Amino acid sequence: MKKTATAAWSGDLKTGKGTISTQSGALKEQPYGFNTHFGDTPGTNPEELLGAAHAGCFTMALSNILAEAGMVAQRLDTKAEVTLDKADGGFAITAVHLTVEAVIPGASAQAFEDAARKAETGCPVSKVLKAKITMEARLKA
């Protein structure tokens, strides 16, 4: 399977503007630029999109691992916090921290933690990232 996303850009880094689109149409010419990245202008940025992809991938992987262990989540809520730091004269994504909260009837905290750890390292987005990936897992009653 292959999926695509596209980006278009006009201008220089600080005053230029761009759009990001996805093959599915979920994003269609979504604006992004220096001010959406480093300022407070409405729009998106690559780190935010990476976080969304990682949160989504991790959550799907976790639901599968839970099902394989005989657990079905009523709800999984995942947040991915992507860290962008200055590095080597530019910027680098240095970490992703995942926080997941779950409602899973009948699940033990240990079984949930074990499943979450498997998903943390096993989801395809986690595998592709070279950044340090950390995660918190909380089972809600």
Side-chain angles (χ1 to χ4, degrees):
M1 169 176 33
K2 293 183 181 184
K3 299 291 181 181
T4 62
T6 59
W9 187 267
S10 297
D12 64 16
L13 175 63
K14 290 196 176 181
T15 62
K17 293 183 172 129
T19 60
I20 295 174
S21 300
T22 58
Q23 176 182 341
S24 68
L27 295 176
K28 186 166 177 63
E29 297 183 1
Q30 178 65 43
Y32 83 109
F34 189 84
N35 288 331
T36 66
H37 201 132
F38 297 104
D40 56 6
T41 301
T44 192
N45 59 70
E47 292 74 31
E48 178 181 77
L49 294 170
L50 179 65
H54 200 181
C57 181
F58 167 83
T59 305
M60 288 178 70
L62 178 55
S63 72
N64 184 52
I65 292 164
L66 290 168
E68 289 173 351
M71 295 177 276
V72 177
Q74 279 183 349
R75 183 153 181 103
L76 297 171
D77 292 300
T78 304
K79 176 182 177 182
E81 182 181 62
V82 178
T83 301
L84 180 70
D85 286 321
K86 282 193 166 193
D88 301 324
F91 289 90
I93 294 170
T94 57
V96 177
H97 180 76
L98 300 169
T99 302
V100 61
E101 292 185 347
V103 178
I104 309 168
S108 73
Q110 187 61 56
F112 171 66
E113 176 76 19
D114 291 347
R117 291 289 166 209
K118 275 184 165 178
E120 175 189 6
T121 58
C123 93
V125 174
S126 289
K127 290 178 180 180
V128 77
L129 295 174
K130 293 184 180 193
K132 178 183 175 189
I133 300 167
T134 59
M135 191 260 317
E136 288 176 19
R138 275 180 278 191
L139 183 62
K140 291 170 62 175

